[in-house]
Amino acid sequence: MCEPRAARRSAAGPPLTGFVCVLLLVCVSVASASLDVGNNETRRTAAAETAEDPHHPTNSTGLKKAFPVLALNYDYVRKPFEIALWILLALLMKLGFHIIPRVSNVVPESCLLIGVGLLVGGIIRAIREEAPVLNTELFFLYLLPPIILDAGYFLPIRAFTENMGTILVFAVVGTLWNAFFIGGMIFGVCQIEGAQLAGVDLLSCLLFGTIVSAVDPVAVLAVFEEIHINELLYILVFGESLLNDAVTVVLYHLFEEFSHAGTVTVADAFLGIACFFVVSLGGIMVGAIYGLLGAFTSRFTSHTRVIEPLFVFLYSYMAYLSAEVFHLSGIMSLIACGVTMRPYVEANVSHKSYTTIKYFMKMWSSVSETLIFIFLGVSTVAGPHAWNWTFVILTVVLCLVSRVLGVIGLTYIINKFRIVKLTKKDQFIMAYGGLRGAIAFSLGFLLTDDNEMKSMFLTAIITVIFFTVIVQGMTIRPLVELLAVKRKNESKGSINEEIHTQFLDHLLTGIEDVCGHYGHHHWKDKLNRFNKTYVKRWLIAGERSTEPQLISFYNKMEMKQAMMLVESGSAARPPTHASSVSMQNIQPRESARGRAIPSISKSREQEIRKVLRGHLQNTRQRLRSYSRHDLLVDPFEDHVSEVRFRKQRVEMERRVSLKLLGCCLSRGPDQEQEEDPL
């Protein structure tokens, strides 16, 4: 009888944890709102009593006031206290959801967080208090940059550059198609008398179509990384969500200006096209400049390792703010800054600084994403709303239809130029994964209050967001399993794969040179040569600027393999045997050492030998897929790998000794005498 009760108690533990977290979040939100109202009423009452009472003691006539032993001054710490509580309780929500595997495996985390926001907002509204709203300044200046920086800094560069043409077609042409198709169709329906939408003009419809046309990177990150989709589909949809920011910004400001002016000329249309190139290329240029400055600064931080992570975060945030000052694309600026900065910064900073950058960036982006979805639910309840069944249903249907038609039509054209074709399954996942999120809500919130249709637009935008994030986000995992879409490959790159990849790159570059065709590989080789000859010498300190690319990759690969080995806890061979085998196979002869690695000093060579002796092991490893909520242990923290290897060697030697001793005892003394020749 005891075991079933214990099982029932353990099964009821995680739901109870989630319920307690929700209750705490509600209580703190209500308490913060009520305390604010109560403090204001107390101050007004005290001021009124002081003014009405002529005998009230003052400094000049009254008695001496007693020294306050304990005082309450909540107003002094109100704002930072409530911010810290919101972040703390949002993280408790996140922790509680991941403790419950039955819920987290079925419902995406973003849907659960929106549900918590709706619950909190409903309770605050029920007690007639003012709920916090996800305004535009909070979203664009504080919550969005960490998510984009994390995505841009750890962006898979090779997959992104190889599919750059496809991503640009979907980001530019696809966004233009969605904006004009949705806006034009809505304007056509508004002309019908029965729809009761005669007051909506064409420019307002195009402005609304622009807002709901762009795929949201926050929503795509939240859903696609949980289902572990393959790298091609992930980079296509996520790359589109990053690069369509420039198109959305230009169209939004363009239609907003046209709606105020009332007239549109041909010159305005050409200026809008020029504005697109200024916004996109200007944002990339600003981000690249700050990225180079950050890389150059990290060259001189060898004596002050503590401040190395701060330079990465501050230069990136300054790039975003500088782009926003001139109405450039802040998202593209952050991506360019992270992509430009990362290879040089990683070569300059220490391993502990790199671990700090990685962990803090993941933590910051996770907190921002959690707060965005919770605030989105709270803001939904806060309103204001103007519900129109025709407009809302039409918007949801047109978003789905335009996405499907756009993906099918553009893929038909793109497949004529791609070597790896996009299949029907890929097209379906790309069309179904076009999620909308908080960016659309914030752009709708930016509309001026004199716009009569603002409340109706916000209601339709929130409905589209909820439909895409909740309905499509919950059903995309079963559809991926049903269609047997290829998942993400969990195998890590090896030195053999890197050698053959570089060989094929050089071979394809040579073929293009022989044929006289200046293609992708030709310009990539030119860029690599320029980077190695000039840029690395200025941005990377010490001998790493002249280190061969293969040696650098091998060093990073062995670090990752040692980290995965320690994390998996699998059995390993004793280091002594691995060291002898490794050194026999890879140590070059003295006469060939100078020819093989001419640019490596003695100290650097000894460091590489140490890496090979310590980490080159032929073992079976349990490789894990990437998760935004599960970061692996850094191999350089407290020399965990070396301690683990020593423990495994001692354990293996102990087992071998016990086995030999058992064999000797089982044979007995008679068998030993028969085998003994003496």
Side-chain angles (χ1 to χ4, degrees):
M1 294 297 292
C2 296
E3 293 181 358
R5 292 179 182 177
R8 286 196 296 270
R9 285 197 299 269
S10 62
L16 182 60
T17 304
F19 176 74
V20 171
C21 294
V22 173
L23 186 61
L24 282 174
L25 184 60
V26 171
C27 293
V28 170
S29 304
V30 174
S32 62
S34 60
L35 275 175
D36 184 26
V37 176
N39 289 334
N40 293 334
E41 293 179 355
T42 303
R43 287 194 296 269
R44 287 196 296 267
T45 304
E49 291 178 355
T50 304
E52 293 175 0
D53 189 4
H55 303 289
H56 187 78
T58 59
N59 293 334
S60 58
T61 60
L63 298 175
K64 183 179 180 181
K65 189 176 181 180
F67 183 80
V69 178
L70 181 62
L72 178 63
N73 189 8
Y74 178 72
D75 291 335
Y76 180 68
V77 298
R78 176 179 177 272
K79 190 171 183 178
F81 186 77
E82 292 180 1
I83 292 174
L85 275 180
W86 270 99
I87 296 176
L88 175 62
L89 295 173
L91 295 180
L92 289 176
M93 294 290 101
K94 200 180 188 74
L95 182 62
F97 292 143
H98 285 280
I99 292 176
I100 312 173
R102 294 181 180 178
V103 178
S104 59
N105 292 334
V106 176
V107 183
E109 181 185 319
S110 55
C111 304
L112 296 172
L113 295 176
I114 289 177
V116 172
L118 290 173
L119 177 61
V120 174
I123 295 177
I124 294 177
R125 188 178 181 88
I127 63 174
R128 298 180 180 180
E129 298 292 345
E130 184 178 356
V133 180
L134 181 64
N135 56 23
T136 304
E137 181 180 356
L138 174 65
F139 176 76
F140 281 108
L141 296 183
Y142 302 105
L143 296 180
L144 183 62
I147 300 174
I148 302 302
L149 176 60
D150 174 54
Y153 193 82
F154 296 103
L155 187 71
I157 302 299
R158 186 179 185 91
F160 185 79
T161 54
E162 289 179 352
N163 298 278
M164 177 66 74
T166 305
I167 294 173
L168 285 176
V169 170
F170 281 112
V172 179
V173 182
T175 305
L176 290 174
W177 158 258
N178 291 332
F180 284 98
F181 179 81
I182 295 174
M185 293 299 293
I186 289 179
F187 177 72
V189 175
C190 290
Q191 303 307 308
I192 302 175
E193 296 181 358
Q196 299 179 356
L197 296 170
V200 184
D201 57 349
L202 177 60
L203 291 176
S204 298
C205 292
L206 292 176
L207 178 61
F208 175 76
T210 301
I211 294 174
V212 297
S213 63
V215 178
D216 186 74
V218 181
V220 171
L221 273 174
V223 174
F224 269 54
E225 289 184 351
E226 290 187 7
I227 62 177
H228 301 287
I229 201 69
N230 65 77
E231 190 177 44
L232 175 61
L233 290 178
Y234 172 78
I235 201 63
L236 289 180
V237 181
F238 180 62
E240 175 193 355
S241 66
L242 291 178
L243 299 187
N244 63 15
D245 175 68
V247 182
T248 305
V249 170
V250 171
L251 290 178
Y252 180 84
H253 290 294
L254 191 67
F255 291 135
E256 191 178 27
E257 292 293 332
F258 290 165
S259 62
H260 291 306
T263 57
V264 180
T265 61
V266 179
D268 293 332
F270 282 104
L271 288 176
I273 297 174
C275 183
F276 164 73
F277 290 101
V278 171
V279 168
S280 57
L281 298 180
I284 294 175
M285 185 178 299
V286 170
I289 292 174
Y290 275 98
L292 293 176
L293 288 175
F296 185 74
T297 306
S298 65
R299 181 177 180 176
F300 305 99
T301 57
S302 58
H303 301 290
T304 53
R305 297 294 190 184
V306 175
I307 62 175
E308 285 177 339
L310 290 177
F311 284 115
V312 175
F313 301 130
L314 291 178
Y315 274 116
S316 302
Y317 194 54
M318 289 297 296
Y320 180 82
L321 295 179
S322 300
E324 291 293 329
V325 167
F326 299 100
H327 286 281
L328 303 177
S329 176
I331 293 179
M332 298 191 71
S333 178
L334 263 181
I335 297 169
C337 182
V339 169
T340 305
M341 185 189 304
R342 182 187 179 185
Y344 309 109
V345 168
E346 288 185 354
N348 290 327
V349 301
S350 63
H351 299 296
K352 291 186 177 181
S353 297
Y354 170 73
T355 304
T356 303
I357 294 171
K358 179 180 65 175
Y359 274 70
F360 189 80
M361 202 173 291
K362 296 292 182 183
M363 178 268 297
W364 197 8
S365 64
S366 180
V367 171
S368 298
E369 179 188 310
T370 304
L371 290 175
I372 284 174
F373 286 114
I374 290 181
F375 274 119
L376 187 61
V378 175
S379 302
T380 301
V381 179
H385 298 293
W387 188 266
N388 187 303
W389 281 101
T390 304
F391 190 81
V392 169
I393 296 177
L394 180 66
T395 302
V396 174
V397 172
L398 288 178
C399 286
L400 294 176
V401 172
S402 65
R403 179 69 182 175
V404 171
L405 294 179
V407 169
I408 294 176
L410 293 177
T411 306
Y412 177 77
I413 300 174
I414 291 171
N415 279 340
K416 295 182 178 298
F417 303 93
R418 284 183 61 91
I419 298 177
V420 180
K421 311 296 183 182
L422 297 176
T423 63
K424 299 295 183 181
K425 295 180 181 180
D426 297 336
Q427 297 177 36
F428 176 79
I429 297 300
M430 290 182 62
Y432 203 76
L435 308 179
R436 274 68 168 180
I439 288 184
F441 177 79
S442 299
L443 288 177
F445 205 82
L446 268 177
L447 294 174
T448 56
D449 294 332
D450 56 354
N451 194 330
E452 299 177 356
M453 300 298 169
K454 180 178 179 179
S455 299
M456 186 177 66
F457 285 173
L458 279 176
T459 303
I461 291 170
I462 291 174
T463 306
V464 171
I465 293 172
F466 279 26
F467 182 84
T468 56
V469 173
I470 296 178
V471 177
Q472 295 180 213
M474 290 180 61
T475 55
I476 191 171
R477 185 195 295 268
L479 288 175
V480 167
E481 296 176 355
L482 179 63
L483 297 175
V485 179
K486 185 179 179 181
R487 296 295 188 95
K488 184 178 181 180
N489 188 11
E490 297 183 356
S491 62
K492 303 297 181 181
S494 63
I495 190 65
N496 190 23
E497 294 177 1
E498 181 66 17
I499 292 174
H500 285 81
T501 301
Q502 292 189 16
F503 169 74
L504 290 176
D505 288 341
H506 291 307
L507 179 63
L508 293 174
T509 304
I511 292 175
E512 289 182 355
D513 290 339
V514 170
C515 297
H517 174 68
Y518 295 155
H520 169 73
H521 294 88
H522 172 82
W523 294 111
K524 181 181 178 181
D525 182 71
K526 294 292 184 183
L527 183 61
N528 289 333
R529 290 178 181 272
F530 178 79
N531 180 39
K532 182 179 180 180
T533 306
Y534 301 103
V535 182
K536 279 188 174 182
R537 298 181 183 274
W538 285 97
L539 300 183
I540 298 179
E543 300 174 355
R544 290 187 179 272
S545 60
T546 58
E547 186 178 64
Q549 183 180 359
L550 200 59
I551 297 297
S552 178
F553 174 80
Y554 191 78
N555 192 16
K556 293 180 181 179
M557 187 197 67
E558 292 301 328
M559 295 174 190
K560 293 180 180 179
Q561 287 186 355
M563 180 172 60
M564 295 296 296
L565 183 63
V566 173
E567 182 70 14
S568 62
S570 58
R573 294 182 182 178
T576 53
H577 300 289
S579 300
S580 60
V581 175
S582 301
M583 294 307 296
Q584 291 175 6
N585 291 333
I586 65 175
Q587 275 188 351
R589 288 180 291 183
E590 295 293 331
S591 59
R593 185 182 304 167
R595 296 195 305 269
I597 312 175
S599 59
I600 297 180
S601 63
K602 296 293 183 181
S603 59
R604 183 61 180 153
E605 185 177 350
Q606 294 298 326
E607 182 180 353
I608 295 174
R609 289 172 180 268
K610 184 178 180 181
V611 171
L612 298 179
R613 287 194 300 268
H615 302 303
L616 185 60
Q617 304 207 19
N618 186 15
T619 60
R620 293 183 179 180
Q621 303 181 23
R622 181 169 57 89
L623 298 177
R624 298 184 177 183
S625 59
Y626 170 73
S627 175
R628 302 174 60 242
H629 314 290
D630 186 17
L631 291 175
L632 302 178
V633 180
D634 194 276
F636 294 94
E637 294 180 357
D638 301 329
H639 302 283
V640 178
S641 59
E642 184 177 356
V643 175
R644 178 64 60 86
F645 292 152
R646 289 179 179 178
K647 289 183 179 179
Q648 291 175 351
R649 182 180 62 182
V650 173
E651 181 68 19
M652 183 174 291
E653 291 176 354
R654 186 182 66 83
R655 292 180 180 178
V656 171
S657 300
L658 291 176
K659 187 175 182 180
L660 292 176
L661 181 60
C663 292
C664 293
L665 293 176
S666 63
R667 289 186 299 179
D670 297 335
Q671 296 179 4
E672 291 182 1
Q673 291 178 0
E674 293 177 359
E675 294 179 1
D676 191 356
L678 300 178

